[in-house]
Every structure is written in C-alpha cells, then in structure tokens.
Amino acid sequence: PLPERPRALVTFPGELASAVSDVELAESYLQRFGYTSAAERRSGGRRAALGRALRRMQRRLGLPDTGRLDAGTLATMRAPRCGVPDVGR
Amino acid sequence: FLTFEGDLKWDHTDLTYRVLNYSPDLDRAVIDDAFMRAFKVWSDVTPLTFTQIYSGEADIMIMFGSGEHGDGYPFDGKDGLLAHAFPPGAGVQGDAHFDDDELWTLGTGIEVKTRYGNAGGASCHFPFVFEGRSYSRCITEGRTDGLPWCATTASYDTDKRYGFCPSELLYTYGGNSDGSPCVFPFVFDGTSYDACTTDGRSDGYRWCSTTASFDRDKKYGFCPNRDTAVVGGNSQGDPCVFPFTFLGQSYSACTSAGRQDGKLWCATTASYDDDKKWGFCPDRGYSIFLVAAHEFGHALGLDHSSVREALMYPMYSYVEDFQLHADDIKGIQYLYGRGSGPEPTAPAPVPTEESEPEPSGEPEPTEEPEPSEEPEPVPTEAGSTSTTEEQEEEEEEEVTPEPTVQPSPVDPSRDACTERSFDAITEINGELHFFKNGKYWTRSSFWKSGLQGAFSIADTWPGLPAIIDAAFQDVLTKRVFFFAGRHFWVFSGKSVLGPRGIEKLGIGKEAGRISGALQRGRGKVLLFSGESYWRLDVKVQRVDKGYPRATDDVFTGVPLDARNVFLYQDKYHFCQGSFYWRMTPHYQVDRVGYVKYDILQCP
C-alpha cells in the first residue's frame, strides 16, 4: 500500500473557538449557564471551584456526579442547547 | 420542572404572537406552521390560546437573528446556542429569538419546498433520477434559464413531477418588493453586484435589489437560501461552488479535508486558497418546531427541567413523534391550570370487573384498598428509648413557656385529600404523617391501610402548637422532634421536653421556619430553612461546624423554597405547591409528582 499522505489541518477563518482548551470551554460554559458564580463565592481556589461547579452542573443535568471534566460532561457541554441559563436569573 | 423565580406567568390566557422575520432556510409557510404547532403543544394542556398577529406589539415577539442581535445575549454561530427566550412580561419579556447561523429544518435534513412546476408545492425527493443520473440536490441541468429545480418523486424520468427550488432568481422574501426575484447585476452605493450580498447590513442577511439599481429605486428583498447554501463559516447562506480548489486540489463535492472533526464543508468561491470563503455543508439541521416548543415554554414561564426526556431539558435532541412529557405538563399546569379538555372522570363508587377506566389527564393513583366505614386510628405513640442522661440534661435547661394553641375539636371524617398543602410531613414509626392546623393523618405503605385520620395533634403530642413546621424521628432513640417558628420540642412517647429555642441547637437568627428534616444515617439530621440547611448531631443536639450550607450546592434540581422536606422510603422529598420532587440518595431527581395523588394516593 502507498503510504498515507499526511493530512493537512487548516484553521478556518471565523472558527477560532475550536482552539479553546477543554478547561477553558468548561469554565466558559459553567459561567455562561450560571453554575460558577455561586460556587466561586464560596471560593477555595480555581480547581476546587471548577470541581464544585461541575458537580452542580452534572446533578442538574442528570449526568454522573463525578466533579470531573469527563468525556460525558464535555460532550454535554458541546451539545447544541438553549441559551437560557440553567441556574440563576 | 422549574418555573422562573417568582413564578412569572402571563396574567391573561389569550396570548398573541408575531413573527418579526423569517429564516432563509425554510419556506415562510413551513415556519408559520411549525410555530403554530409549537404553540399548540402548550395550548393542548392549558387554558391558553395563541393568536398570530401581523402588526403591533404581541405578547410573544419572535425573531431570527445571529450573533449580537439587539438584546445583549449574542448567539455563537453554528451549533452551540440555538435559541433563547425571556420569561413572561412586557417589552422583551416573553420574546423568543432563534439563531439564524443554524440550519433550520424539520430535524431530518434540509427541507426543500418547491414552487411552481407541476407538483403542487411538494418537497423535493432526494435523490431523484433525471436522464438516468441520480441527483441529491437541486440542479439546473435541462434548463437554459439557470433556475434550480428538483423532482418530487424518486424518478423524474418515470413520473415527470417537478418543482422549482428556492432561489433568488425565482423569488425574494421580506423587503419591499412583494417577493419579486433579484435583478442581476444591480447597483448599490455605486457598485455593481451580480449576486446576493450582505453589504450595507449589520445582521448578515443576504439581500438583492429587485430592479437594476437599488440606488435609484430602493426596491429590495432577502434572498432565500438555496439547498446548497452553506451554514456558518464566513459565507453563511452562500451556495457551495463546485468544483473548488483547496490546497491545490480540486473538489467537486463537500469534503472534510483540512478538518479534524470530520464535518463536511465547501468553498463558496472557485478557490478557497485565494479567497478563504467557506461554510459547512447542510446537515440534518435543527427542528424549528422542537426548538420553538421549548422556547415558548420559557416564554410562558417554565425554566429548564432536570428531566432528560422533558421538552424543557436544556439540550436539543431530535424526536420523530413528539409528545409532551409529563414533567412539562405538570410544569405548565402548575402555572396555568388544566386545559379545556375532558374533566377527570369521577371514580365509580363500586368498581366492577366489566368497568374500564376512563382515560383522563389525572395521574393514576395506585391501587388502594377501599376505605373502611369507620377509620380505625392506628397507634402513633412514639418510642421512648432515649437515655436518662440526655433527658436529665435537657430538663436542667431553662424552658421558656410558649402559649399552647388550644386545638379546635377534630372532625375524624375530615379528609386529607381536601387539604391544599400541609404544615409538615414526616415519617414516624414507618408511617407517613401529614400535619395540618392541629390535625394529622397517617398513611402506612407497609400495611396498605390507606389514609387514617384525622387525629388531634394535641391528643398525641400534648403541648405542641396547632401549627408545626417540621418534624422528624431520630433513627436511634425513636424520639420525635417537632419544630414551630423558632422553637422545638422533643417527645419520648407522651413525655416532652420543650419548647426550646432553635438557637440552642446552634441555628442562628438567619433561619426562619424550619421546613423539614432529612435523617442522614445514625445520629445526624439535616434541617432545612430557606435556601440553606444545617446538619444536626442529634445526640449532642447541636449543629455541626461548617453549616449552614446552600441547599442548591447538594440538592440541585429541587425547589429551594420547598414547604416540606422529608425522608420517605429512603428518598428525599421536597414539596412545593401541589407537587413534590423525589431525589435519590445520589442526589438525582428521579420523579416529580403530585403530593395529593402520588403520596396521599387520593382518588
């Protein structure tokens, strides 16, 4: 067999969002949909706050309550959804 | 389900809606029909009615837009956020907005409704055969005027049924030209255009002049999306151009080359390498009907549900045969009551084997034994296994006498099913107890004894006020704790300690009414008040350090202002209004139901 040609990957204009890391995506998602603020008020560091907010989100959305940014949680964060926040006004 | 804070709802039931603009993805008639069906989802189960108006201010104003579209809550391009809506009220409140960077379909791919031809406006049938070749998009082959067309059956060769596809050469929508087609080239601001353009607009919608000069005639319309129109990218709505060049190679179809995510894309000019103009090829799209039904739920006062199968769950998922979930029905009926459908059928006095249950909108009560003519009070004496030491400790404390409300005589025939709510609910000695204004009823799931009572609180627990807020039985000692206002009592059988102030437990002034208690293993009980809870060490009768905590941190998805909180059959129950939320020990809300029908099991 012929060796496979290396696939060229292109950053398409207008698609910079794809370069966002998983943690950045999560932080943005948790803040946008109202999960972060309450947890942040009780502080405890960025990582702990992220874990608490993740748990809130996971419970609210019926996901396994791991407090971690697991594959299922990330998939949910990438899923198409309504823009109305889940928590708060 | 959840409602918005303050139970925001419309103060009238004859609601109006107005569609301010339409998406280029779908025929106007298809969108109107989808919105009408989406409103019908809610009007079918409530007294609400919805009327479309075409001018003026409607209760629910509907618009399509992309990015920042005027309300400060921008959309985010293709996928991600699909739409949003505001809870009931004036102005932008009650309005619903849909992201026009999405491909709006009926959920199963692009919907190409034809015009003219001989198929009566039927939709394209993809693929279709024309002169022996198969096509999966509208084509201009066989014509000299460049109008795209398609067959509306599997084979044009056989059936000769066809229609014209959406194209700016056929018609425009909106604008001020009554649907006239574009005229190319046209002049705008001194420049000649030979295709639809977004120039001169900030909302990204493609338009054209319907005369040779917009500068002169000011006649224009919006261009409908062709079936080959791209979604997102940087050319939203422009058609793919085949073949196109990408990294020096020629492509005659959509490709995933250059991408990691496998999504199909195309260039919208002949050379991506030169122009960098591109977009995603049409996929299944999002059902405008399903998304609209969800958004209209918000516009009527429903917040997001935690029930995955509910319409008001925040994530989109396509379902072919949509039916409104019971959780959504309960939510909307909590706000607006039931529809004008048939009234629930009254239970037959003596069910016979021949009789079949009538369908009704009421939740079906589980099987219940027939009530006996004279309900026998069941013993409710609380156990008395508390240690002497503890009693002595408590007796030493100063007790502030509280005026005890003398209960009025209790009518034993008083039916718990007529009560709209209860002061407190708790499980004592394996039986659920429902307290209300000096009375209580009991229900044992084990004995299947049905609802017993009413009994007098004063007879069983002398010294308690008529209205108590919460109660729980200590798992270890079987003592029963009662709370009313900022006082509590502890009963061992009929002997009582109290009233004592709840500050003795370490609960500060921030707590108002104790709304309920959840036993957590041996010797620990969670006490709820407002949106907080405390963990009580029952043995030392003191709340643990680190409390209060926010209820929503752990008990996510239940109403924060629950009237009653109690443990029943090892699950947490939170009651608000007529409803209860049941939560597993893993903090998953697994049921929302009626207190009256599901717990009390009223007919």
Side-chain angles (χ1 to χ4, degrees), chain A residues 5 7-8 10 12-13 15 29 32-33 42 56 59-63 76 80-84 86 89, chain B residues 2 5 80-83 85 256 258-259 272 278 280 286 294-295 298 304 306 308 313-316 553 588:
Chain A
R5 248 181 98 176
R7 279 175 68 100
V10 170
F12 287 81
E15 248 208 325
Y29 185 98
R32 178 191 287 263
F33 296 109
R42 282 175 273 282
R56 284 158 63 91
R59 287 177 194 142
R60 183 64 171 260
L61 299 180
L63 303 171
T76 301
R81 60 161 291 159
C82 172
V84 174
D86 298 331
R89 288 166 181 254
Chain B
L2 287 173
E5 198 172 303
L81 306 180
L82 306 182
S256 62
R259 300 190 62 83
Y272 175 85
W278 71 285
F280 293 106
Y286 297 111
H294 174 102
E295 298 307 329
H298 286 313
H304 282 148
S306 299
R308 277 193 185 209
Y313 190 71
M315 275 59 181
Y316 171 88
D553 272 358
Q588 196 74 51

